Every structure is written in C-alpha cells, then in structure tokens.
Amino acid sequence: MSYPFKILNQSTSTIQSGRVGWRCPSNIAIVKYWGKHGRQLPRNASLSLTLSNAHTDTYISYKGNKGGKLSISFLFEGEANRAFEDKIKKFLDSVLDHYPVLNLLHLDISSSNSFPHSSGIASSASAMAAIAMCICEIDQVISGNGSETIDIHKASYLARLGSGSASRSVISKLGAWGTHAEIHDSSDLYAVAVADVHEVFHSFHDDILIVSAAEKSVSSTAGHALMNGNVYAKPRYQQANDRISELKKILKSGDVDAFGKLAEDEAMTLHALMMCSDPSYVLMEPGTLDIIREIRNYRLETNTPIYFTLDAGPNIHVLYPDSVKEDAESFINQVLVPYTANGRVIKDIVGNGPKKLV
Ligand code: DP6
C-alpha cells in the first residue's frame, strides 16, 4: 500500500532549532487487535476508548546535525534509558522514508508517564502516539507548513508504525483502526474517530486494577506472531469483524449492558487465543480470576452495570458508566482492591486525545 500523505521536504540548507511537546493518553480496546502482517497492518479492525489520566508527556528539542544522519538522545523520567533509546532510534530510522527531514536533525527527547513505570501498564500506545505527534509537528515546522493543525490521520499512521494500538491513542474519545464496512473512512493505515456514539460512552470509566506489576512474559509483537499458527485465527478475524458491527449498533443505542457483555467476551477471547497458541501463554493471575468472579457476582446480586476487560496481561480494566460512579467506587475499594498488588488502582475515564504542551 502506498503512503497516502504528502512527504514534506526541507528546502533550505539551514535548519532552525526548536522545541515541541505533546501529551498522549493510553487507550483500552473493546474489540481487540490481535494478529498483524506486513508493515504493522492489522488482521482485523479494532475499536477502543481513548483514556485521559494514563498518559505520556514527550518533549523534543531539535536542531540541525552535522553528519547528515538522524541522531538522538533520550531521557525517560529524567534519566538516560538505553533500552528505550534504542527502541525509539530504531523506530525513527524505520520511518525515514516518510520523514526524510529527520536525517538532517539531532533530537533530544524526554518522556515521562503519568502512571508508575513498574505498574504493569503497557505504555507503548501513549508513548508512540506522543512521539508521533511531536515528529509530525517538527516536520511541518521545518518544511514551512506551520504547526497549527496536525493531520491526525497522518500522526496516527506514524504512531501505528511504532505500535499498532498507538494509532488509536491520537483519536479523541473513541477510535477505530482497521478497514471495516460500517466505520466511515476506516483504514488499515490509521485510526479514525467513531461517529454516532451515545453520550453515555463519552464519560465511561475505566479503573485499572494492577494485579501484578511484573513485566509481560510475552512481548506484543511475539504475541501477534502467535496468531499465524493458531487454528482459530480465521474465525477469530471474522468474529472481530462481526463484533465491530454489533458494537457500532450498541454505541449508537447507548445499551450499556450489551456493551459490557461484548467487552468481557472480547477479553476472554483474547486470553483464550493466547492459551491455545503454541507456545501457550496464561497471562491471567489468580487475582485476575478472583476479580472477574467478584464483578460477575456483584452484577448478578445488585444489577449494577459494572464490567471488565483485559489487555494482554493480568491487570483488570473495570468499565462502568458515570451514572453508577459512587456504587462502583465503593465496590472497587471494598471488594476488589484487596486482590491488587499493594492496592494499586489507576482511575481513568474517556478523554479527548492529544494535548499540545509547548
Ligand atoms: C491486546 O499495539 O502493543 O492490547 O503493534 O506489536 O506494538 P504492536 O502491538 P500492540 O498490541 C496491543 C494488543 C492489545 C489489544 C489492543 O490494544 O487492541
């Protein structure tokens, strides 16, 4: 697939220096992206809630370099971090075909997360989205195209090349990535905003219960690769496609119970796929299952619309509408928090996407 955006070029030999900064949130998929091919292309469309409190702030100071090759320095939470620096350098080198201007630059990048680094929360979505917004702005400024409006699809495309789920983190409120007949303008190349969404979903809560802060035992790239040999891969991609159609209707009608059921079914499907891949992974912990049981019991007993979803890890995302906030919070504090690692909860809510910091 050819690159759908204009490649900007620096026309003069003098590069001005400057500084940009963007805050990007994490997101939680309701229909999951699991399985990819080619240059970061999804096997199925996915749809997520953009969060607000779990976010990454990234600042980049840029200036002309001498050697004609991109160079960077990277600080994570104020300290040098070689592993992250290598990852970001590799990512930026991989997008030089779309951003040739980078080879004229030295970038001093500094990044920090609002959530604790060792919380077990994957930060690649917010981190790659924030870098993508910064690079898009630098590209526009240096090529004389201003910095006022960033083309959000272009930023999403770039974020996607860093991490698939990051493509959705630049979209306000609800984002969908991957071509789907019922999502207007959808594309495998970038995420788009989901239209026709009932307002109940614009203030939906996602309280993240940290069951284990341990590093993931399987990287997402390795996890996606496991789908290649999974006998359920084909029906799974069809199922995800069907679930997006179903979810579109639910989002329009505001049917919170149907939304919660679909979110839970997707979480269980994702983990079932990992359990039956070769090698098999069990990423849930005993506390994960305890919390799932408690949520289901509480719902049965009280009829309160509280649901869960999971990422590729043991931590639980508790989903509920703003109308039951008080009941949900006391249930979480009294019943669920004892199952977490040191009482850790990150309280989050649907948010508006990227925020310019500089
Ligand atoms: C389970 O976006 O982390 O969170 O593209 O390899 O960086 P890469 O994978 P990544 O995968 C996320 C998978 C998921 C589901 C989702 O967010 O859709």
Side-chain angles (χ1 to χ4, degrees):
M1 268 183 267
S2 60
Y3 187 57
F5 305 102
K6 194 170 156 209
I7 295 175
L8 306 178
N9 278 309
Q10 158 67 6
S11 50
T12 67
S13 57
T14 45
I15 297 264
Q16 71 271 43
S17 50
R19 186 164 185 257
V20 297
W22 283 90
R23 166 173 297 174
C24 280
S26 185
N27 69 76
I28 180 68
I30 303 304
V31 173
K32 311 285 181 184
Y33 145 58
W34 198 242
K36 63 177 173 180
H37 65 106
R39 194 172 173 184
Q40 287 281 100
L41 298 167
R43 289 285 184 196
N44 62 263
S46 54
L47 195 155
S48 58
L49 307 180
T50 300
L51 300 177
S52 40
N53 298 332
H55 59 244
T56 300
D57 287 353
T58 296
Y59 295 88
I60 304 186
S61 296
Y62 57 94
K63 58 185 181 202
N65 70 24
K66 303 230 159 52
K69 258 201 171 341
L70 168 69
S71 55
I72 71 166
S73 75
F74 182 78
L75 294 182
F76 181 68
E77 279 161 13
E79 287 175 23
N81 185 318
R82 208 41 213 261
F84 285 0
E85 178 170 326
D86 290 349
K87 198 171 168 198
I88 284 156
K89 178 70 170 38
K90 208 170 139 202
F91 162 55
L92 294 176
D93 280 340
S94 79
V95 299
L96 285 167
D97 52 344
H98 303 326
Y99 291 85
V101 75
L102 289 175
N103 259 338
L104 306 175
L105 298 176
H106 173 80
L107 309 178
D108 289 313
I109 308 172
S110 67
S111 195
S112 59
N113 291 337
S114 62
F115 44 94
H117 174 47
S118 58
S119 64
I121 295 291
S123 60
S124 68
S126 53
M128 287 302 177
I131 289 192
M133 292 298 294
C134 289
I135 297 296
C136 284
E137 186 179 342
I138 293 171
D139 188 40
Q140 285 189 195
V141 171
I142 288 187
S143 59
N145 282 264
S147 72
E148 275 67 50
T149 45
I150 304 290
D151 178 340
I152 223 66
H153 291 160
K154 190 174 175 184
S156 174
Y157 184 111
L158 179 59
R160 179 199 108 230
L161 294 177
S163 178
S165 54
S167 65
R168 301 183 308 244
S169 269
V170 299
I171 307 292
S172 174
K173 297 203 160 71
L174 283 87
W177 168 43
T179 306
H180 191 282
E182 280 148 67
I183 299 196
H184 184 60
D185 274 349
S186 59
S187 168
D188 282 356
L189 301 177
Y190 47 80
V192 296
V194 180
D196 276 339
V197 176
H198 191 283
E199 65 180 24
V200 70
F201 299 113
H202 285 170
S203 57
F204 228 73
H205 290 258
D206 173 12
D207 290 352
I208 311 165
L209 307 185
I210 310 303
V211 174
S212 163
E215 283 247 334
K216 287 203 262 180
S217 56
V218 56
S219 75
S220 23
T221 292
H224 289 287
L226 291 173
M227 283 301 280
N228 294 334
N230 192 312
V231 292
Y232 300 110
K234 217 171 149 203
R236 159 59 192 162
Y237 302 139
Q238 181 59 48
Q239 176 192 55
N241 203 54
D242 295 346
R243 280 182 172 163
I244 294 261
S245 303
E246 201 186 323
L247 183 54
K248 270 290 287 171
K249 288 194 202 97
I250 293 170
L251 292 175
K252 190 170 179 181
S253 70
D255 185 342
V256 168
D257 288 336
F259 176 84
K261 180 176 184 317
L262 192 146
E264 292 190 359
D265 288 349
E266 270 291 292
M268 291 313 216
T269 303
L270 172 71
H271 281 257
L273 288 166
M274 286 188 277
M275 284 186 221
C276 69
S277 54
D278 185 10
S280 152
Y281 286 95
V282 180
L283 299 186
M284 293 192 208
E285 295 285 337
T288 316
L289 295 170
D290 286 329
I291 292 173
I292 289 174
R293 184 174 36 78
E294 295 284 8
I295 289 176
R296 288 183 167 172
N297 284 345
Y298 180 73
R299 205 164 60 221
L300 220 65
E301 282 162 14
T302 66
N303 246 329
T304 314
I306 296 183
Y307 302 88
F308 69 86
T309 189
L310 300 158
D311 262 342
N315 301 322
I316 297 262
H317 291 247
V318 186
L319 303 169
Y320 56 91
D322 197 50
S323 57
V324 299
K325 185 171 182 274
E326 271 167 33
D327 286 348
E329 284 181 344
S330 69
F331 167 63
I332 290 170
N333 290 336
Q334 283 164 30
V335 181
L336 303 186
V337 165
Y339 295 108
T340 62
N342 306 320
R344 277 190 176 171
V345 179
I346 298 169
K347 294 177 67 58
D348 220 328
I349 190 159
V350 168
N352 294 326
K355 182 171 179 260
K356 192 167 158 61
L357 298 174
V358 176

